[in-house]
Amino acid sequence: MNTLINADLHCHSVVSDGTLTPEALAQRAKANGVELWALTDHDELGGQDRAIAAAREAGLPYLTGTEVSVTFAGITVHIVGLGMDHTHPALLDGLRATRGGREQRAREMSDDLARVGIKGVYEGALKYVGNPELISRSHFARYLVEIGVSKDTNEVFRKYITEGKPGFVPHRWATLADAVGWITQSGGVAVIAHPGRYKLTPNEEFALFTEFKAHGGQGVEVMTGAHGQADYAKYAGYCQEFGLAASRGSDFHSPEESHTDLGQLPDLPGSVTPVWELLQSRILQ
């Protein structure tokens, strides 16, 4: 497979914080010309069997996936896993432990918002949540829009539930070694998700890539919804510098909220090795 494959290896369903079902995502991906797809719900594999079945029905080649929340240098970094055995005990146990802190964090976020006069947000957000173990800031944002606190979810994230604003509660996630380990032990390839989004200093970013590679990480998202032209060039260069494969994924969550639809990213540059070349034997037809 070459770099011109229309692969979309990063998106979310109702199983985590997306608004579409795995089945609807498979149909949307196929309609948008995607030729290789992965569903990568946050810290969860509960949608994988549905995604596999829907992809088969649509005639869409598929890679299993997840997106693991990691704490690195005091911030949250995401590691996408692709092509894993989604029934592997170490992976399932690790993700279950990572999810465990979300509910307590959500209750603390709600308490903090109540202190500035916005009450009942935890209960309100639950109506948007398929699995209470996976309640997230996106669910809070949708409820705050519903009750008129903000006009859209982007405004919520500017005014609330981010560092220094009402409703922000930090969470300690998995370590980088844990996340990469769970993915590789279960036969998958670990990929740094949307590195251009993280507010890391150059030294911290170098440390992230160095440590990731040392733990067995093999890829980085070059083309993703949060990146612009400068990021495409920068992280294609990082592929060369660190010997990593390049991934491509929209990070699609919702037709109403996402800037980049499934399958709508530019092609990977010809200078990189596409991550799907490492995963040929894991692609489900």
Side-chain angles (χ1 to χ4, degrees):
M1 282 191 182
N2 62 32
T3 56
L4 301 182
I5 291 277
N6 188 354
D8 200 315
L9 305 180
H10 187 165
C11 69
H12 301 274
S13 77
V14 291
V15 176
S16 65
D17 60 344
T19 62
L20 300 183
T21 63
E23 293 80 6
L25 285 169
Q27 290 164 9
R28 191 180 188 95
K30 182 70 173 180
N32 286 3
V34 173
E35 298 166 288
L36 178 63
W37 176 54
L39 172 64
T40 57
D41 282 315
H42 288 284
D43 305 310
E44 177 60 273
L45 294 162
Q48 291 302 306
D49 286 332
R50 290 170 64 185
I52 291 165
R56 282 205 172 116
E57 189 171 330
L60 180 59
Y62 184 76
L63 283 166
T64 54
T66 189
E67 186 175 14
V68 187
S69 306
V70 165
T71 300
F72 182 85
I75 67 162
T76 301
V77 168
H78 291 147
I79 303 297
V80 164
L82 296 170
M84 318 84 54
D85 170 5
H86 67 289
T87 67
H88 194 281
L91 180 62
L92 291 169
D93 290 347
L95 295 182
R96 191 176 300 115
T98 299
R99 291 197 302 271
R102 281 183 185 265
E103 184 184 352
Q104 181 58 36
R105 180 200 189 206
R107 291 183 183 278
E108 291 175 22
M109 286 166 58
S110 184
D111 291 344
D112 198 51
L113 287 167
R115 283 191 273 276
V116 296
I118 309 170
K119 300 193 186 320
V121 180
Y122 175 78
E123 292 75 17
L126 280 175
K127 74 172 81 169
Y128 293 97
V129 181
N131 175 358
E133 273 193 343
L134 287 171
I135 190 166
S136 74
R137 293 187 304 161
S138 296
H139 301 121
F140 272 62
R142 288 171 194 146
Y143 180 67
L144 291 175
V145 171
E146 179 197 325
I147 63 174
V149 168
S150 296
K151 69 177 187 298
D152 58 33
T153 55
N154 288 330
E155 185 179 291
V156 174
F157 282 104
R158 285 198 302 275
K159 294 185 174 178
Y160 304 98
I161 61 179
T162 47
E163 192 161 7
K165 308 288 185 181
F168 177 74
V169 177
H171 185 97
R172 294 293 301 179
W173 304 110
T175 67
L176 191 58
D178 287 338
V180 176
W182 300 333
I183 292 163
T184 54
Q185 285 168 42
S186 56
V189 166
V191 174
I192 298 175
H194 42 61
R197 266 179 45 182
Y198 310 128
K199 302 293 188 276
L200 294 170
T201 67
N203 283 344
E204 287 169 341
E205 188 170 65
F206 185 83
L208 170 64
F209 275 78
T210 303
E211 189 176 321
F212 172 76
K213 176 85 175 175
H215 291 311
Q218 293 178 271
V220 58
E221 278 184 353
V222 173
M223 300 302 185
T224 183
H227 283 183
Q229 291 289 344
D231 297 310
Y232 300 156
K234 176 180 178 179
Y235 295 108
Y238 274 42
C239 288
Q240 308 289 334
E241 183 177 351
F242 289 92
L244 297 172
S247 194
R248 180 179 188 268
S250 58
D251 197 10
F252 180 81
H253 284 71
S254 160
E256 292 75 38
E257 296 167 20
S258 297
H259 301 299
T260 305
D261 204 344
L262 287 160
Q264 302 299 301
L265 290 164
D267 292 322
L268 287 176
S271 60
V272 299
T273 300
V275 73
W276 46 90
E277 286 197 358
L278 310 183
L279 288 158
Q280 287 294 321
S281 65
R282 309 293 301 188
I283 295 171
L284 303 175
Q285 303 284 349

